[in-house]
Amino acid sequence: MRVIVPPIKSQGIKTKLVPWIQALVPAVKGRWIEPFLGTGVVAFNSGFRKALLGDINPHLIGFYQAIKDGVITPHSVREFLEREGALLEKADDKGYAHFRLVKDRFNRTFDPLDFLFLSRAEFNGMMRFNRKGEWNIPFCQKPERFAPAYVTKIVNQVHDVA
């Protein structure tokens, strides 16, 4: 069984639990209701054609809504990550200068592509926001993070969840 892995990276992702969870879900028709979406791995692998997905994190919902609405596509993700990855690799302070730029931009605009970038460039798959709702995780200190194979992996994940 192939498990759909979502493009958002986060600690505690349930990818390895998907087969176990699927075995518990009754074979019924209807709609999957997921009040705690997280990365979406359980919902994307539920097998249901219709779903109601929710989460307290508006950035997760905004990201997946942008994919659903066609605002974010595999092509736009590739262009964005290649461009931002190149800037990250060339930036001062071993890439941290560009990470801070993207983090500050996200904290002003809450752009879903910046959210994707931060979820992939931050430390150890963590996702945390301060009381103002701003991104609050440091850089993973890997300026070469967005190598072509890694970008392709993320692009394929966006394709799969779309």
Side-chain angles (χ1 to χ4, degrees):
M1 176 189 98
R2 179 177 174 269
V3 173
I4 295 171
V5 179
I8 297 297
K9 183 179 178 193
S10 178
Q11 274 190 339
I13 189 169
K14 311 284 187 287
T15 306
K16 293 180 182 176
L17 296 177
V18 165
W20 179 76
I21 292 169
Q22 283 181 328
L24 296 174
V25 176
V28 297
K29 293 182 180 177
R31 178 166 67 162
W32 181 265
I33 299 174
E34 181 66 65
F36 308 109
L37 180 64
T39 62
V41 70
V42 174
F44 296 134
N45 289 282
S46 69
F48 285 76
R49 299 287 299 155
K50 293 182 179 183
L52 175 63
L53 308 177
D55 200 281
I56 195 168
N57 184 335
H59 310 299
L60 286 167
I61 299 302
F63 176 76
Y64 287 122
Q65 188 67 48
I67 290 175
K68 180 182 176 219
D69 294 344
V71 174
I72 292 178
T73 64
H75 179 72
S76 68
V77 167
R78 179 176 302 282
E79 284 184 345
F80 179 81
L81 293 179
E82 286 176 348
R83 181 181 65 247
E84 297 298 327
L87 293 169
L88 182 72
E89 199 166 354
K90 295 174 188 171
D92 291 339
D93 200 13
K94 298 180 184 173
Y96 199 55
H98 187 66
F99 177 84
R100 282 192 307 267
L101 185 143
V102 174
K103 182 178 84 161
D104 292 344
R105 184 174 68 205
F106 172 77
N107 287 335
R108 281 190 320 276
T109 67
F110 303 115
D111 183 277
L113 285 173
D114 285 341
F115 178 69
L116 174 63
F117 176 90
L118 291 171
S119 86
R120 291 304 187 137
E122 43 74 47
F123 177 74
N124 207 21
M126 296 176 66
M127 189 176 298
R128 182 180 66 213
F129 300 88
N130 64 22
R131 290 182 185 184
K132 296 177 184 176
E134 298 171 331
W135 188 266
N136 195 19
I137 298 293
F139 181 44
C140 69
Q141 298 188 15
K142 296 178 183 174
E144 70 289 343
R145 176 60 135 189
F146 294 96
Y150 193 60
V151 170
T152 296
K153 175 183 173 179
I154 298 167
V155 165
N156 290 340
Q157 291 168 338
V158 169
H159 174 268
D160 290 348
V161 301

